């Protein structure tokens, strides 16, 4: 019966979880100054051409390019200077054949000019004459009106996470308020009779709660809002009450602990008791992280992560972070670092192995050295700078092989 | 004279700037729950062994390993079960030769036990007897007292930026308050007669302020606190007053704009007028980004970034971000992505070229396609997903070459 929930692949697990992840967070209108790293809840359409007029990209003289054709140092083109463009002012005059107008970088191109000669390729010949020693082609040293942004074009799609340059783009359009999604809310619960709060001194047989704090940071890193619900002992009713409260107050709930068989059973029973659709899966083909339980209650998700700190973090990264950060498991680019593996690593086919690594350089090359140690050790997570994955279809990796390191 | 400030290499520029970057931000004591991504202002020493006692890492039976030596499925070792360890309780009993004690994952190892037999390799033979079908070696399935963390060991050095797992490590030690550095404060000023605030409708010849908003996001991404000081027209005294006010209220000031020769001269004059040590450099061998000016006033730094949005961002990434995020230019690992370059790119030796790229996949490989366009276009920054660098000693890169992409 339980075997029904033991999925054969991680892809299958993700697809099942996805189909129950329907929560859309609240939309709020905020200032662009508060919008860095927030996710747009609306499409943004350009309202105006940028720039609104053709501009010089260098200091020099606005000209008709044809006035400079064939100019060389030996045979310069001589132009009459008929005026000077002031920065930030409309260019009132027009440039005729054989004429030039002084213009600063960013200045507005006067009528009938189609290029700017850089000041470096001119020589003043008198009060109102210059010699041009190099020709310019049409459009040279000019940004045309609307060349940067066209009014009516789609600037950003709903769901886009705003980067610094995107704030600049919004400002260029006079958009100072945007509609964004509120961060997802995540409840965090630790379970286990042996776990005590960090402020307590553990008695023999007890350990302090590590996972609540690691997950608190993880959830922040995923751009969501964490709330701690404390430590629940192995008691069905207490656990059920705490999970129900956390589900009511959050979009997603993380429960960690329960690595022993008895507690795992409690967790599964509590997850089953929460109504439809209930338990989605029990066990994933990932090491460390196998004893993972996932359930859905209405539009909310509930993850039972393993109790070992390393396992909890690996499962969080695979199954929870993408939902909170990207909204889905849709293939986003994973930024990784290439390094050479410093020793052989064995794995079992049919299982994805996550290995923590330290990085070092030797002869100008980057090497990844596995940080070995039981998955119950928080130290291995702190010593490591990242992790590598042995894919499900490989039985190991060879020393010297190039691997992809995800920094954490 | 001005040529004195034109440095020949970026390394020289960094070393000069570094020698004037002496600001140490305020230290504040905060809750561990607020400490994610903050920088420690103190060393952290472990106060206690973790775990404080030897623990089982599986469900099973705590034994003397020697009681199981030679056990096989055909010839099991038979052990008397003399009790059960309760989770979170001190193990009061001792295990003799030929005896076992039931133990859950995370339970405390009883005296004289040195290993745990997994329940999967045992069979119940009656009320108080089990058959063990595989031997365990000393220490197997056990985390020893202090194996994770030793009391007295250095956990984190001052200057370490706290990751999620580091919060878990602190919690394991009962450390719920840490001393961290306050974020650096950064003032942002835009200059230029042609620049208007985003809420205004630009007249012909005017453009909205883009750089203040891009930099506002950039500074946040660097973990610092930005403040906008608005737009200053090309007026020596106004610029000097605004820069002085911003310097007084911040650790570092960013001024952008002044791409035309006249305004650049203003900026240099203002930078020179601020007292010792004054102007540090004028011009860097980076494209785009050459017309960069850097000055120091007392222990504070002042950067004059180019007016073009792309140039301003490139120079920010090279010279400003490391100071704010890492505190220095000391070689931190740059996380990059390997991709194949989709076209030839030319450069000039003696200059570091920064090229914006889009990424796409073809036949399972990642390719980087340069986003070409003038450095005045904000669109190129928004379309690009990252940048590549043509190093100072190369005259170009060939299509098909593997390049390192920094995602932004």
């Amino acid at each position: 019966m339980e075997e029904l929930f033991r999925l054969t692949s991680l892809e299958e697990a993700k697809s099942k979880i996805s189909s129950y992840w329907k929560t859309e967070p609240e939309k709020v209108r905020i200032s662009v100054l508060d919008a860095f790293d927030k996710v747009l809840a609306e499409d943004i359409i350009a309202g105006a051409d940028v720039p609104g007029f053709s501009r010089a990209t260098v200091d020099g003289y606005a000209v008709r390019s044809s006035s400079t054709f064939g100019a060389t140092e030996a045979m310069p083109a001589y132009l009459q200077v008929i005026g000077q463009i002031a920065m930030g002012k409309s260019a009132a005059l027009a440039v005729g054949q054989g004429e030039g107008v002084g213009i600063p970088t960013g200045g507005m191109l006067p009528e009938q000019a189609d290029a700017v000669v850089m000041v470096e390729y001119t020589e003043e010949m008198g009060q109102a004459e210059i010699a041009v020693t190099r020709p310019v082609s049409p459009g040279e040293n000019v940004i045309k009106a609307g060349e940067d942004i066209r009014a009516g074009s789609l600037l950003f799609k709903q769901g886009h996470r705003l980067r610094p340059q995107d704030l600049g783009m919004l400002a260029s359009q006079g958009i100072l308020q945007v509609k964004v999604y509120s961060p997802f809310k995540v409840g965090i619960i630790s379970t286990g009779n042996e776990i005590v709060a960090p402020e307590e001194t553990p008695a023999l047989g007890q350990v302090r709660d590590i996972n609540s704090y690691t997950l608190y940071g993880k959830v922040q890193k995923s751009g969501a809002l964490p709330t701690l619900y404390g430590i629940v002992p192995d008691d069905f009713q207490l656990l059920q009450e705490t999970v129900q409260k956390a589900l009511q107050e959050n979009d997603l709930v993380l429960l960690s602990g329960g690595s022993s068989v008895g507690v795992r059973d409690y967790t599964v029973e509590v997850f089953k008791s929460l109504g439809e659709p209930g338990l989605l899966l029990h066990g994933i083909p990932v090491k460390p992280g196998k004893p993972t339980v996932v359930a859905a209650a209405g539009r909310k998700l509930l993850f039972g992560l393993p109790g070992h700190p390393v396992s909890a973090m690996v499962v969080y990264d695979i199954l929870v972070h993408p939902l909170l950060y990207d909204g889905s498991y849709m293939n986003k680019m994973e930024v990784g670092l290439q390094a050479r593996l410093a020793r052989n690593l064995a794995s079992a086919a049919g299982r994805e192995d996550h290995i923590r690594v330290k990085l070092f350089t030797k002869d100008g090359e980057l090497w990844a050295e596995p940080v070995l140690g039981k998955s119950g050790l928080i130290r291995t997570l702190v010593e490591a700078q990242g992790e590598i994955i042995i894919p499900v279809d490989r039985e190991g990796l060879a020393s010297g092989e190039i691997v992809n390191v995800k920094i954490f």
Side-chain angles (χ1 to χ4, degrees), chain A:
Chain A
M1 166 62 195
E2 290 273 303
E3 286 304 311
L4 279 179
F5 298 107
R6 203 173 288 276
L7 295 170
T8 48
S9 81
L10 205 46
E11 287 321 303
E12 210 181 322
K14 286 181 180 174
S15 131
K16 190 156 190 183
I17 296 169
S18 290
S19 64
Y20 292 100
W21 179 236
K22 299 210 174 63
T23 296
E24 190 172 280
E26 261 177 81
K27 299 171 183 182
V28 280
R29 188 163 286 283
I30 61 170
S31 160
V32 161
L33 292 180
D34 299 321
F36 167 63
D37 214 26
K38 298 284 190 301
V39 177
L40 277 176
E42 59 179 352
D43 288 345
I44 303 282
I45 308 290
D49 280 354
V50 173
F53 52 92
S54 295
R55 304 181 77 187
T57 63
V58 295
D59 292 310
Y61 295 88
V63 297
R64 297 187 186 186
S65 52
S66 55
S67 305
T68 68
F69 290 170
T72 63
E73 289 209 26
M75 290 274 286
Y78 294 94
L79 305 182
Q80 292 300 312
V81 178
I82 61 162
Q84 170 72 32
I85 301 294
M87 201 61 170
K89 301 287 181 202
S90 174
L93 59 184
V95 181
Q97 198 66 26
E99 295 179 344
V101 173
I103 192 165
T105 303
M108 178 175 171
L109 221 63
E111 261 179 72
Q112 295 178 39
D114 66 350
V116 176
V117 179
M118 280 179 82
V119 71
E120 287 85 338
Y121 302 121
T122 65
E123 222 173 293
E124 289 189 32
M125 302 304 293
Q127 225 183 319
E129 197 182 22
I130 53 165
V132 175
T133 57
R134 266 205 203 179
V136 281
S137 47
E140 197 167 334
N141 300 322
V142 168
I143 292 179
K144 292 207 187 74
E147 184 179 340
D148 200 351
I149 303 162
R150 274 261 165 245
S153 61
L154 177 67
L155 294 180
F156 302 108
K157 270 197 192 152
Q158 178 172 351
H160 177 74
R161 188 176 288 270
L162 292 165
R163 300 166 300 168
Q165 61 267 43
D166 301 337
L167 305 187
M169 174 67 105
L170 291 166
S172 79
Q173 290 292 318
I175 299 171
L176 287 166
Q177 298 263 320
V178 283
K179 211 193 277 177
V180 299
Y181 291 114
S182 295
F184 285 115
K185 292 192 206 117
V186 178
I188 298 170
I189 305 169
S190 271
T191 64
N193 281 340
E194 80 282 21
I195 309 288
V196 299
E199 52 269 37
E200 291 179 39
T201 301
L204 268 179
Q206 300 182 324
V207 289
R208 290 194 175 98
D209 184 10
I210 292 177
N211 284 350
S212 287
Y213 293 79
T214 299
L215 291 172
Y216 196 90
K218 280 288 198 187
V219 168
Q220 289 179 289
K221 197 171 177 184
S222 299
L225 276 182
T227 303
L228 296 187
Y229 286 82
I231 302 154
V232 181
D234 302 345
D235 176 302
F236 180 84
Q237 196 164 342
L238 259 179
L239 189 59
Q240 194 186 38
E241 281 169 19
T242 311
V243 167
Q244 271 166 345
K245 181 172 156 60
L247 274 173
Q248 204 151 30
E249 298 172 353
N250 295 279
D251 301 306
L252 187 151
V253 173
L254 301 174
L255 189 143
S256 82
S259 290
S260 71
V261 169
V263 186
R264 239 183 286 160
D265 291 348
Y266 265 137
T267 306
V268 170
E269 286 315 309
V270 167
F271 279 30
K272 280 181 179 167
S273 75
L274 299 169
E276 291 305 308
L279 201 61
L280 301 182
L281 61 96
H282 185 180
I284 55 170
V286 172
K287 184 189 174 190
K290 196 176 152 210
T292 295
V293 189
V294 186
R299 298 163 79 89
K300 297 177 175 188
L301 287 176
L302 183 59
F303 288 84
L305 306 176
H308 286 161
V310 178
S311 318
M313 187 159 145
V314 165
V315 176
Y316 180 92
D317 286 344
I318 298 174
L319 293 182
V320 184
H321 172 76
L323 295 180
L324 297 177
Y325 192 78
D326 302 320
S328 76
Y329 296 121
M330 302 254 284
N331 234 350
K332 296 273 171 151
M333 207 161 17
E334 268 291 323
V335 177
L337 200 68
Q338 310 256 307
R340 232 173 245 290
L341 187 59
R343 53 181 292 163
N344 294 324
L345 283 173
S347 175
R351 182 180 81 191
E352 189 173 283
D353 266 38
H354 290 245
I355 314 285
R356 276 126 321 275
V357 295
K358 275 196 273 204
L359 296 165
F360 64 95
T361 46
K362 201 175 72 182
D363 303 331
E365 262 199 320
L366 195 62
W367 288 75
E369 168 78 41
V371 178
L372 300 174
K374 297 151 185 154
S375 63
L377 303 180
I378 177 83
R379 176 172 48 76
T380 63
L381 280 179
V382 169
E383 275 176 17
Q385 289 151 305
E387 70 162 26
I388 62 172
I389 293 176
I390 308 178
V392 72
D393 56 352
R394 293 284 304 271
E395 291 187 17
L397 297 174
S399 174
E401 218 175 300
I402 295 287
V403 290
N404 217 37
V405 182
K406 196 182 88 191
I407 300 295
F408 57 54

